Amino acid sequence: MSPARDLCRETTICTVRARIIEAPTTRQHKLSNTSIRYQGYVFVEVQLDNGVTGYGEGSTLGGPRWAEESVEAMKANIDGYLAPALIGHAASQLEQASVLMDRAAKRNFGAKSAIDMALLDGLGKTLNVPAHVLLGGAVRQSFDTVWALASGDAVQEVDEAQAMIARGWFNRFKIKLGFADPATDMARIRALRHALPAHTVLIVDVNQGWSEAECIRHLPALAALEVDLVEQPIVAGHREASQRVAARAPMPIMMDESVSTLAEARQETAAATGQVLSLKLCKHGSAHNLKRVAGIAAAAGVELYGGCLLESSIGAAGHLQVFATLPRLEWGTEQFGPKILVEDLVTDSLVYRDFKVHLPDAPGIGVTPDPDIIDKLAKKD
Ligand code: MUC
Ligand code: MG
């Protein structure tokens, strides 16, 4: 038997450790349902019996508000249910690990995806290959980027966007809406549209903040400002209202919070509640599930967008490994988290250049957590 096959067959999971990290951000980041000055992560270390450690990260924004999981809940469910279900099992059996985790806990997609990422990292390092090789192989080495503007202050946002363009990091922008009154929001977008180069891609994310009536009122004004894409304007699950809005909207609608599971992907695309879908590991629970959701959407003719939840370079690298394998990814990725942190969590941050983020090619997810920064930012029990 080949050494690689031996390694895969025999390598088992010894320990799964989860720690909460609180990483300060460079500025306040506001959404319709929360506002943060630091980003919370669950940092997962999976120790394999061949001596390799795999690292993964789950994130959420400002407690259990963006979705039902908080980082505290992720850690509690990893410690109490998910880790015990995996100890002693083969590290290479990624699908089996998902089955075991699904038996141990319902949903908990952020917690599961952090462990799945750590397993992919450990397995990639064991076999000396980047994680994307275990997911079908990369069809792209870099991704067009999107930066999120979310201070709510129009002057600051114009300055920030211009600085991102000047650095060559980001030249497409997503504006977070829904925390201010619509007149203020329109003034922010108008300021950006006038200050930025002609035809700069502008996306707005309402994070479920508007009713159908508000969409009817405000989407024409967004169209007049040449907004290219509107993300999750309506509460997830309000399917008929979302369907009507998507049918009459003058620009494409992007589904985000409304699609986590494969069933939701099937139902929302069948109901045509959007023409674009944002993919995130914390919503889909594993890299393989993200690929399945992407397949359902692509089969329905829906365009794909590589979403984020302000991951550090650890979680962002994990996302790039799977995004790299998608046959189509029309909108590139918004993995901007590493650039909004005061300190990134790795020794080798992802590279942003020429308005692209580049796929790392080191084994596993391709980045190395910095133990000193992790220890400094880890929440003390
Ligand atoms: C979301 O809803 O898309 C990603 C960027 C951002 O500002 O918020 C997140 C989550
Ligand atoms: Mg969103």
Side-chain angles (χ1 to χ4, degrees):
M1 206 180 289
S2 74
R5 194 159 162 196
D6 276 348
L7 280 171
C8 272
R9 277 210 169 179
E10 292 166 11
T11 303
T12 57
I13 300 167
C14 297
T15 60
V16 178
R17 181 183 186 202
R19 279 190 280 170
I20 294 175
I21 308 289
E22 293 180 336
T25 55
T26 52
R27 60 148 167 80
Q28 188 154 27
H29 196 76
K30 295 185 189 173
L31 277 69
S32 71
N33 48 15
T34 191
S35 174
I36 60 162
R37 274 313 310 241
Y38 69 87
Q39 173 63 340
Y41 302 110
V42 169
F43 173 62
V44 171
E45 295 162 83
V46 172
Q47 184 72 52
L48 307 182
D49 72 351
N50 61 5
V52 168
T53 306
Y55 301 104
E57 177 186 281
S59 69
T60 188
L61 284 165
R65 297 194 189 92
W66 190 87
E68 68 271 30
E69 283 177 289
S70 62
V71 285
E72 291 80 8
M74 286 187 215
K75 176 173 162 46
N77 285 329
I78 290 172
D79 291 347
Y81 300 95
L82 301 175
L86 295 177
I87 307 299
H89 284 274
S92 62
Q93 311 283 309
L94 293 171
E95 295 282 17
Q96 179 65 5
S98 283
V99 169
L100 294 170
M101 289 198 281
D102 286 346
R103 272 189 212 142
K106 293 256 182 291
R107 295 180 66 89
N108 281 280
F109 302 122
K112 290 173 184 173
S113 68
I115 293 177
D116 178 72
M117 194 184 294
L119 287 174
L120 273 167
D121 189 44
L123 207 52
K125 287 170 176 165
T126 298
L127 297 171
N128 203 26
V129 293
H132 65 73
V133 170
L134 306 169
L135 297 166
V139 297
R140 63 185 65 75
Q141 297 295 323
S142 64
F143 307 76
D144 292 333
T145 51
V146 175
W147 175 261
L149 297 161
S151 73
D153 172 343
V155 175
Q156 186 280 337
E157 289 176 348
V158 167
D159 285 352
E160 190 173 292
Q162 287 173 333
M164 293 300 161
I165 294 172
R167 286 177 175 139
W169 289 351
F170 305 89
N171 60 359
R172 301 185 302 159
F173 299 95
K174 165 159 144 175
I175 305 129
K176 304 298 277 191
L177 299 192
F179 52 83
D181 62 275
T184 307
D185 281 344
M186 296 306 157
R188 289 169 64 208
I189 299 165
R190 194 170 306 112
L192 286 158
R193 180 49 84 208
H194 290 145
L196 298 179
H199 312 302
T200 296
V201 171
L202 295 183
I203 301 164
V204 305
D205 189 356
V206 192
N207 284 109
Q208 315 183 66
W210 286 348
S211 63
E212 180 179 6
E214 285 173 299
C215 291
I216 292 169
R217 267 179 231 127
H218 305 311
L219 291 184
L222 295 182
L225 291 166
E226 293 172 65
V227 166
D228 296 275
L229 186 61
V230 172
E231 180 172 350
Q232 196 70 50
I234 291 191
V235 173
H238 285 192
R239 197 163 287 150
E240 289 81 7
S242 301
Q243 190 176 40
R244 288 189 293 269
V245 166
R248 67 186 289 169
M251 73 286 282
I253 299 290
M254 179 150 71
M255 302 170 274
D256 185 11
E257 289 93 324
S258 57
V259 175
S260 261
T261 63
L262 273 65
E264 285 164 352
R266 159 96 183 92
Q267 289 154 357
E268 296 291 328
T269 56
T273 59
Q275 296 84 6
V276 183
L277 172 65
S278 177
L279 300 160
K280 296 177 179 161
L281 288 169
C282 66
K283 294 196 299 178
H284 312 307
S286 72
H288 282 89
N289 268 354
L290 184 150
K291 285 176 66 97
R292 292 185 184 103
V293 167
I296 292 169
V302 167
E303 293 180 351
L304 299 174
Y305 178 100
C308 86
L309 217 51
L310 278 66
E311 289 79 0
S312 78
S313 277
I314 301 170
H319 277 81
L320 296 191
Q321 294 293 336
V322 56
F323 290 161
T325 71
L326 299 176
R328 291 172 31 216
L329 187 65
E330 289 86 348
W331 288 84
T333 183
E334 67 179 15
Q335 287 290 340
F336 64 88
K339 295 295 188 201
I340 205 175
L341 297 180
V342 173
E343 283 179 299
D344 201 353
L345 305 185
V346 297
T347 55
D348 43 1
S349 287
L350 290 177
V351 174
Y352 294 76
R353 200 193 313 118
D354 302 328
F355 306 114
K356 290 186 186 294
V357 58
H358 296 263
L359 180 67
D361 64 1
I365 60 170
V367 292
T368 312
D370 183 322
D372 296 333
I373 294 178
I374 299 279
D375 284 347
K376 185 173 83 179
L377 300 180
K379 205 168 162 182
K380 310 295 176 274
D381 296 325

